[in-house]
Amino acid sequence: MDTALEENVMGALENVIDPELGIDIVNLGLVYGADMDEEGNTTVTMTLTAMGCPLAGHIEQDVKRVLADIPEVNEVTVNIVWNPPWTKDRMSRYAKIALGIPD
């Protein structure tokens, strides 16, 4: 995936808000990466703040919805991983300020 397309994908993912925290999944550091094959099939590798998150299905559907608006994207697969585990250190400065977490 070229840089401009990757920026489009990550920009779209910033529209997916974690319902519990009210911050997008990119600034929370939940998105580990996105890959696209020649046919436009896109895999988003991400984690959640806690194992067994009851909103995992909701977040996954939102990821698919926002990426559907990008013409180059065909099918979307969301790959939820637990390793490496998410920590608050993965959060952007914006997310830390919004949640009142010291940097």
Side-chain angles (χ1 to χ4, degrees), residues 24-76:
D24 70 87
I25 62 174
V26 174
N27 278 293
L28 283 173
L30 298 177
V31 177
Y32 290 167
D35 295 301
M36 182 184 292
D37 68 16
E38 315 77 50
E39 284 91 41
N41 299 316
T42 305
T43 301
V44 176
T45 301
M46 61 175 291
T47 193
L48 300 168
T49 54
M51 222 180 259
C53 173
L55 298 166
H58 173 80
I59 292 172
E60 185 174 333
Q61 288 308 311
D62 276 358
V63 166
K64 291 179 178 183
R65 180 182 50 79
V66 300
L67 294 184
D69 291 339
I70 299 174
E72 296 87 348
V73 172
N74 186 11
E75 289 191 30
V76 176

